[in-house]
Amino acid sequence: MKSRSKKSGNRGTDLCLECGSPMRESTEAHKFTVTRKWAITIADAKVYACPKCGEREVSIHRPEALERTIATELIKKPALLSGDEVTFLRNCLAMKGRQLAKELGIQHETLSRYETGFYKMNPTVDRLIRAMVALWYLHRGSETFTAETAANIATPDGEAKPLKMTVYFDPQGVWRRAAA
């Protein structure tokens, strides 16, 4: 899928980036790939489809806010983080594996094995990663992360499975997790 950027002359119609035909806009549920093996559902994604060539494009409102919403939900998740979730949170921190491993006081090979699922996640390391992400966003003044969010970091327990969730973009322009 291509990004939404090309517009036709004065009409403001979205054109297909493949064939140049006008795209049709719809709102529908979209499976958003967070990492290679993990996806969430966006309940009300804006989807552009080309009736001529079949090309589909998805427009994500405020992707940085969506990232924070996912991170918030992961911090509150009661089970251990899965490898893909650790990778996602490391990317939220804008860190390479070696850098995060050093900050956590573990070998980078160990972090890599957590991320690939080869090793079961250590509960202490899991909680440290959650705390680092909460502090990262608190320091940046994120509207999604509050001191309450940081105080409510889950104590992980149970099997590490990727979080299944559906999100939507509310009328106030904020990403929210849909009720299960």
Coordinates of all heavy atoms in Angstrom, one line a residue, residues 7 22 57 61 74 79-80 87 100 116 120 128 135 138 140 158 169 175:
K7 N -2.5 14.2 -5.3 CA -3.8 14.7 -5.5 C -4.0 15.2 -6.9 O -3.0 15.5 -7.6 CB -4.1 15.9 -4.6 CG -4.0 15.6 -3.1 CD -5.3 15.3 -2.6 CE -5.2 15.1 -1.1 NZ -6.4 14.7 -0.5
P22 N -9.3 8.0 -10.2 CA -9.8 8.5 -9.0 C -10.1 7.3 -8.0 O -10.5 6.2 -8.4 CB -11.2 9.1 -9.3 CG -11.0 9.4 -10.8 CD -10.1 8.4 -11.4
E57 N -5.2 1.8 -0.4 CA -4.4 2.6 0.5 C -5.1 2.9 1.7 O -6.3 3.1 1.7 CB -4.0 3.9 -0.2 CG -3.3 3.7 -1.6 CD -3.2 5.0 -2.4 OE1 -3.4 6.0 -1.8 OE2 -2.8 4.8 -3.6
H61 N -4.8 8.3 10.8 CA -4.7 9.6 11.5 C -3.7 9.6 12.6 O -3.7 8.7 13.4 CB -6.1 10.0 12.1 CG -7.2 10.1 11.1 ND1 -7.3 11.2 10.2 CD2 -8.2 9.3 10.8 CE1 -8.3 11.0 9.5 NE2 -8.9 9.9 9.8
L74 N -0.1 -1.8 26.3 CA 0.9 -2.8 26.6 C 1.4 -2.6 28.0 O 1.7 -3.6 28.7 CB 2.1 -2.7 25.6 CG 1.8 -3.2 24.2 CD1 3.0 -3.0 23.3 CD2 1.4 -4.6 24.2
A79 N -0.4 -9.8 31.4 CA 0.5 -10.9 31.0 C 1.8 -10.4 30.6 O 2.0 -9.2 30.3 CB -0.1 -11.8 29.9
L80 N 2.8 -11.3 30.6 CA 4.1 -11.0 30.2 C 4.1 -10.4 28.7 O 3.2 -10.8 27.9 CB 5.1 -12.2 30.2 CG 5.5 -12.7 31.6 CD1 6.1 -14.0 31.5 CD2 6.4 -11.7 32.2
T87 N 9.8 -5.8 21.0 CA 10.4 -5.1 19.8 C 9.6 -3.8 19.6 O 10.3 -2.7 19.3 CB 10.2 -6.0 18.6 OG1 10.9 -7.2 18.8 CG2 10.8 -5.3 17.3
L100 N 19.3 -0.8 24.3 CA 18.3 -1.2 25.3 C 18.9 -2.2 26.2 O 18.7 -2.1 27.4 CB 17.0 -1.6 24.6 CG 15.9 -2.1 25.6 CD1 15.5 -0.9 26.6 CD2 14.7 -2.5 24.9
T116 N 12.7 -12.6 19.8 CA 12.3 -13.6 18.9 C 11.5 -14.7 19.5 O 11.0 -15.6 18.8 CB 13.6 -14.3 18.3 OG1 14.4 -14.9 19.4 CG2 14.4 -13.3 17.5
K120 N 11.8 -17.3 27.3 CA 10.6 -16.7 28.0 C 11.0 -15.4 28.6 O 12.1 -15.3 29.2 CB 10.1 -17.7 29.0 CG 8.9 -17.3 29.7 CD 8.5 -18.2 30.8 CE 7.3 -17.7 31.5 NZ 7.0 -18.3 32.8
L128 N 10.8 -3.6 33.8 CA 11.7 -2.5 33.5 C 11.4 -1.8 32.2 O 11.5 -0.6 32.0 CB 13.2 -3.0 33.6 CG 13.8 -3.1 34.9 CD1 15.1 -3.8 34.8 CD2 14.0 -1.8 35.6
L135 N 8.1 6.3 31.4 CA 9.0 7.5 31.7 C 9.3 8.2 30.4 O 9.4 9.5 30.4 CB 10.2 7.1 32.5 CG 10.0 6.6 33.9 CD1 11.2 6.0 34.5 CD2 9.4 7.7 34.7
L138 N 6.2 10.2 29.5 CA 5.9 11.2 30.5 C 6.9 12.4 30.4 O 6.5 13.5 30.4 CB 6.1 10.6 31.9 CG 4.9 9.9 32.5 CD1 5.3 9.3 33.9 CD2 3.8 10.9 32.8
R140 N 8.2 13.4 27.7 CA 7.9 14.2 26.5 C 6.5 14.8 26.6 O 6.1 15.4 25.6 CB 8.0 13.2 25.3 CG 9.4 13.0 24.9 CD 9.7 11.7 24.2 NE 11.1 11.6 24.0 CZ 12.0 11.3 25.0 NH1 11.6 11.2 26.2 NH2 13.3 11.2 24.7
G158 N 1.6 -14.7 33.9 CA 0.9 -15.4 32.8 C 1.7 -15.5 31.6 O 2.8 -14.9 31.4
F169 N -10.6 6.0 16.2 CA -10.2 7.4 16.3 C -11.5 8.2 16.7 O -12.4 8.3 15.9 CB -9.7 7.9 14.9 CG -8.9 9.2 15.0 CD1 -7.7 9.2 15.6 CD2 -9.4 10.3 14.3 CE1 -7.0 10.4 15.6 CE2 -8.7 11.5 14.3 CZ -7.5 11.5 15.0
W175 N -7.0 8.6 19.7 CA -7.1 7.1 19.6 C -7.6 6.5 20.9 O -7.1 6.8 21.9 CB -5.8 6.5 19.2 CG -5.4 6.8 17.8 CD1 -4.5 7.7 17.3 CD2 -5.9 6.1 16.6 NE1 -4.5 7.7 15.9 CE2 -5.3 6.7 15.5 CE3 -6.8 5.1 16.4 CZ2 -5.6 6.3 14.2 CZ3 -7.1 4.6 15.1 CH2 -6.5 5.2 14.0

